[in-house]
Amino acid sequence: MSKTMRAIMCREPWDYRLEEVPMPEAGPGEVVIKVSACGVCASDIKCYTGAPLFWGDEHRKPYVEAPVIAGHEFVGEVVELGPGAGEKYKLEIGDTAIAEQIVPCWECRYCRTGKYWLCQVHNIYGFQPVVNGGMADYMKFPARSLVYKVPSEIPTASAAVIEPLACSIHAVQRGNIEFGDVVVVAGAGTLGLGMIGAAKLKNPGVLIAIDLMPKRLEVAKKLGADIGINPSETDAVQEVLDLTEGYGCDVYIEATGHPKAVEQGLHMIRKAGTFVEFSVMREPVTVDWTIIGDTKELNIHGSHLGPYAYPLAIDYIHRGLIEVEHIVTHQLPLTDYLTGFEMVQKGSDSIKVQLVP
């Protein structure tokens, strides 16, 4: 008789259920972990609430293949190693381990040229059942996964922030920050705060955080922001222009997920500046592209996932260079997943909410 476990099963918008499902087993090259914690991401909430990006509409195919176990911000204890997995990943039973959120096919054009995070197949944990996610008692890393050992000294709450921090690091890398640059990070949620911490390591001239919530701006300063701006209290664009003799910021990183932040950035950034778009938008965003081209000749860089950044995220957390403990505000039992979803959707009383099986 096969063993079962608890898992949060995504079935359709607004229909996520705590179910008993078969426990995964490790085949050749595979790893099974006992999940220690799994964060609730803003993209999980967009999926939960039926955003077209995930469920499709007349313009796009569905990204989610339900039913699927949700969750991609996981970390856990190794409990089973399939043949060859221990040697491949330098893991032993009892180690703490994490896998990148994408499981590449390793066969498409992108994978074959080193751009695995843009994999054409694009299996992401928690969105397709071939790579079930971490909102469960146990989960499996398939043989195609990118798996890393996590130092045991890192507390579980901080270790479960490795995935979003890797994404933040990649976004900062896409910003090409130079010494003395005025850098703006719009959005001081989990990802934006990670970007603040990573951008600080680049030694910018001035690092500015923008958010509507004073508590989040306070955390942004703990992570390295020199200035916090609340657009509900002041004209954020004018304030940045005043700080830069009317030129505007050198680098603008958008991490709010709100269309207004895109427009704000286009007006706030200097000519020939670098605009990094990270957010997963609920709906398509329309802007004046003349600003991008004829008016300012901007460098527009997209940012997706956290390629090659997991070892950096692990190292920076381990050495205390980015203090992610300020980001985790709530840990809830797996059974309280709906409460966690509501907290993240509301956003006013939490930053990072994690589910602990």
Side-chain angles (χ1 to χ4, degrees):
M1 185 174 180
S2 63
K3 296 180 180 179
T4 63
M5 67 174 186
R6 302 171 304 162
I8 306 303
M9 191 69 71
C10 161
R11 293 195 167 273
E12 58 183 41
W14 302 104
D15 186 4
Y16 281 48
R17 308 175 191 175
L18 181 63
E19 299 183 4
E20 286 285 328
V21 301
M23 280 182 58
E25 298 179 355
E30 296 181 335
V31 180
V32 173
I33 63 167
K34 184 180 188 301
V35 178
S36 302
C38 184
V40 181
C41 178
S43 63
D44 290 319
I45 301 307
K46 290 182 174 71
C47 183
Y48 175 64
T49 56
L53 174 67
F54 296 93
W55 297 97
D57 55 20
E58 65 271 22
H59 303 297
R60 66 185 96 194
K61 297 187 298 183
Y63 179 62
V64 177
E65 297 174 16
V68 58
I69 300 171
H72 59 274
E73 295 184 8
F74 46 78
V75 71
E77 177 189 347
V78 176
V79 294
E80 186 181 0
L81 291 166
E87 296 80 2
K88 180 179 180 180
Y89 299 120
K90 297 180 174 58
L91 289 174
E92 297 179 356
I93 301 298
D95 284 343
T96 301
I98 191 171
E100 294 200 23
Q101 69 273 59
I102 190 167
V103 182
C105 74
W106 300 115
E107 296 177 357
C108 71
R109 178 191 301 175
Y110 302 108
C111 287
R112 285 187 281 108
T113 56
K115 298 180 176 64
Y116 67 88
W117 68 102
L118 301 175
C119 174
Q120 188 77 348
V121 178
H122 218 74
N123 290 141
I124 301 283
Y125 285 107
F127 295 108
Q128 299 95 27
V130 67
V131 284
N132 275 311
M135 293 185 186
D137 290 318
Y138 297 85
M139 69 177 296
K140 179 172 72 174
F141 302 157
R144 293 178 285 117
S145 303
L146 290 148
V147 181
Y148 305 95
K149 181 178 177 179
V150 177
S152 59
E153 299 87 359
I154 298 179
T156 296
S158 295
V161 183
I162 291 169
E163 185 275 333
L165 181 59
C167 293
S168 298
I169 291 170
H170 181 57
V172 168
Q173 290 173 324
R174 295 286 285 160
N176 295 327
I177 297 169
E178 298 286 350
F179 294 123
D181 277 353
V182 175
V183 178
V184 173
V185 176
T190 300
L191 278 303
L193 291 169
M195 292 170 195
I196 291 288
K200 191 66 175 179
L201 298 179
K202 290 279 190 175
N203 290 313
V206 181
L207 182 54
I208 302 169
I210 298 180
D211 201 276
L212 294 168
M213 299 180 189
K215 289 182 180 179
R216 295 191 175 201
L217 291 175
E218 291 173 10
V219 176
K221 290 183 178 179
K222 290 179 181 178
L223 284 159
D226 300 301
I227 298 171
I229 298 176
N230 187 333
S232 68
E233 298 175 351
T234 185
D235 184 334
V237 172
Q238 190 59 52
E239 188 160 341
V240 171
L241 292 175
D242 290 344
L243 285 166
T244 57
E245 300 179 329
Y247 287 98
C249 60
D250 301 286
V251 179
Y252 181 92
I253 306 178
E254 196 288 304
T256 70
H258 197 286
K260 286 186 178 179
V262 179
E263 185 178 5
Q264 169 185 266
L266 294 178
H267 291 293
M268 183 180 292
I269 197 169
R270 68 164 169 82
K271 294 178 181 180
T274 299
F275 188 119
V276 180
E277 179 53 55
F278 176 84
S279 289
V280 177
M281 297 289 179
R282 183 178 176 83
E283 307 289 348
V285 179
T286 301
V287 297
D288 180 0
W289 276 74
T290 304
I291 298 173
I292 296 169
D294 184 66
T295 306
K296 292 191 175 182
E297 194 174 290
L298 297 177
N299 302 297
I300 304 295
H301 293 178
S303 182
H304 179 58
L305 304 185
Y308 303 107
Y310 274 66
L312 294 173
I314 293 168
D315 180 50
Y316 294 162
I317 293 173
H318 190 211
R319 290 197 284 151
L321 296 179
I322 300 179
E323 297 176 340
V324 296
E325 62 269 20
H326 298 305
I327 297 173
V328 181
T329 56
H330 296 81
Q331 286 193 317
L332 303 175
L334 194 65
T335 50
D336 289 351
Y337 68 100
L338 288 177
T339 300
F341 287 4
E342 290 166 4
M343 291 176 73
V344 176
Q345 188 176 5
K346 185 179 178 184
S348 58
D349 301 316
S350 67
I351 300 178
K352 173 51 61 186
V353 176
Q354 296 174 344
L355 300 178
V356 180

